[in-house]
């Protein structure tokens, strides 16, 4: 009964390949996020969806494309992988929305460690 | 100026002592503040949220917020070796609509047995 799950946990691939990461939450939250954590451990938001609608789209290469088929699922597809894409990618969810500041407590998945060689 | 600043550490404290972790933020209108704990190789875990000036206590953890000074801190009493982790401060800025939480770079805490 994991709250936020991600697959795969590890992803090793070569430059130029295309890969996807999947995320699912069973918390009933309306909002889901993708974060990238680099080797210096800085956690940077990439995208956020609220009820399948893209609400946050940070300055990220357009090789990264998120998709949310429903509010419990959020996927991340990465085209033409580059060495600099190597990082840990975290999915998170929260009840955030227009409900006010109290709903932004985020719950993270276990992460996907992507290594591009 | 970084939006959320933390001393990267490591902060070393002996077992049983009080660990004090500090965070400053630049957006004066920020309204929600969070502390996450991240063990090495694991995901961030929410341990405290604070929304009003003053102290909020939860077990051995106390979050302190001073909006006038744009300062939030986390105190860990009776520190245990299991508290050794990186602590991330996160801040939600003020404005309408959907917002993004900004994370600091984290402070690494080492509790020495």
């Amino acid at each position: 009964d994991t709250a936020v799950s991600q697959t795969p946990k590890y992803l090793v691939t070569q430059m130029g390949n295309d890969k996807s990461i999947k995320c699912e939450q069973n918390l009933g939250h309306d909002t889901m996020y993708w974060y990238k954590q680099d080797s210096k451990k800085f956690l940077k938001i990439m995208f956020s969806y609220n009820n399948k609608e893209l609400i946050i789209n940070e300055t990220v290469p357009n090789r990264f494309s998120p998709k949310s088929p429903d509010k419990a699922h959020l996927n991340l597809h990465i085209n033409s992988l580059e060495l600099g894409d190597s990082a840990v990618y975290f999915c998170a969810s929260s009840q955030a929305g227009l409900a006010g500041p109290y709903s932004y407590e985020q719950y993270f998945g276990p992460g996907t460690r992507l290594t591009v060689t | 100026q970084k939006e959320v600043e933390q001393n990267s550490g490591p902060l070393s404290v002996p077992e049983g002592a009080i660990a004090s972790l500090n965070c400053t933020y630049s957006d004066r209108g920020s309204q929600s503040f969070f502390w996450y704990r991240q063990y090495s190789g694991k995901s961030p875990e929410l341990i405290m949220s604070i929304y009003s000036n003053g102290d909020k206590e939860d077990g051995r953890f106390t979050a302190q917020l001073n909006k006038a000074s744009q300062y939030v801190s986390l105190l860990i009493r009776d520190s245990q070796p299991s508290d050794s982790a990186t602590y991330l401060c996160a801040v939600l800025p003020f404005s309408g609509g959907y917002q993004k939480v900004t994370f600091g770079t984290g402070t690494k805490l080492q509790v020495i047995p």
Side-chain angles (χ1 to χ4, degrees):
Chain A
D1 58 345
T2 305
V4 183
S5 58
Q6 287 179 239
T7 53
K9 191 167 183 180
Y10 299 96
L11 194 47
V12 181
T13 188
Q14 292 183 327
M15 284 174 49
N17 284 348
D18 304 339
K19 290 293 178 186
S20 291
I21 307 171
K22 295 181 183 294
C23 178
E24 176 180 359
Q25 56 95 2
N26 62 7
L27 296 168
H29 287 163
D30 286 338
T31 303
M32 297 183 73
Y33 310 82
W34 280 115
Y35 285 90
K36 178 180 181 181
Q37 189 170 48
D38 59 25
S39 57
K40 294 186 178 179
K41 304 303 182 186
F42 181 56
L43 197 61
K44 189 175 184 334
I45 191 166
M46 301 172 68
F47 304 102
S48 178
Y49 274 77
N50 177 271
N51 252 325
K52 303 191 293 179
E53 178 189 353
L54 182 64
I55 56 171
I56 293 174
N57 186 356
E58 291 293 281
T59 306
V60 174
N62 58 16
R63 298 181 294 102
F64 290 80
S65 53
K67 279 190 182 168
S68 181
D70 56 60
K71 74 173 192 176
H73 296 85
L74 180 62
N75 304 323
L76 182 65
H77 187 76
I78 315 170
N79 289 326
S80 303
L81 278 154
E82 299 178 357
L83 292 176
D85 297 332
S86 296
V88 181
Y89 293 84
F90 288 105
C91 175
S93 73
S94 75
Q95 194 50 51
L98 301 176
Y102 304 100
S103 56
Y104 280 84
E105 296 178 349
Q106 296 183 36
Y107 296 86
F108 285 79
T112 295
R113 182 174 294 276
L114 172 65
T115 302
V116 183
T117 61
Chain B
Q1 182 185 4
K2 290 182 184 175
E3 294 178 59
V4 180
E5 292 206 52
Q6 296 181 256
N7 188 318
S8 61
L11 172 66
S12 294
V13 300
E15 183 175 355
I18 295 176
S20 178
L21 304 162
N22 304 318
C23 173
T24 58
Y25 58 94
S26 59
D27 185 338
R28 182 168 290 279
S30 296
Q31 55 185 337
S32 303
F33 307 85
F34 310 93
W35 283 100
Y36 288 82
R37 176 177 62 199
Q38 187 173 23
Y39 291 113
S40 180
K42 301 294 185 182
S43 58
E45 173 192 9
L46 179 68
I47 54 173
M48 290 285 282
S49 306
I50 187 166
Y51 305 99
S52 305
N53 274 332
D55 294 0
K56 179 182 177 183
E57 187 175 316
D58 184 0
R60 295 186 297 113
F61 298 98
T62 299
Q64 298 176 318
L65 175 60
N66 184 327
K67 289 187 178 180
S69 300
Q70 295 175 239
Y71 178 96
V72 57
S73 64
L74 179 71
L75 301 178
I76 306 174
R77 290 183 299 282
D78 188 24
S79 295
Q80 300 297 308
S82 58
D83 295 325
S84 297
T86 296
Y87 289 80
L88 303 171
C89 172
V91 177
L92 179 71
F94 172 82
S95 77
Y98 298 107
Q99 292 304 306
K100 62 176 182 178
V101 172
T102 299
F103 284 80
T105 51
T107 298
K108 186 172 184 177
L109 173 67
Q110 294 177 339
V111 180
I112 313 297

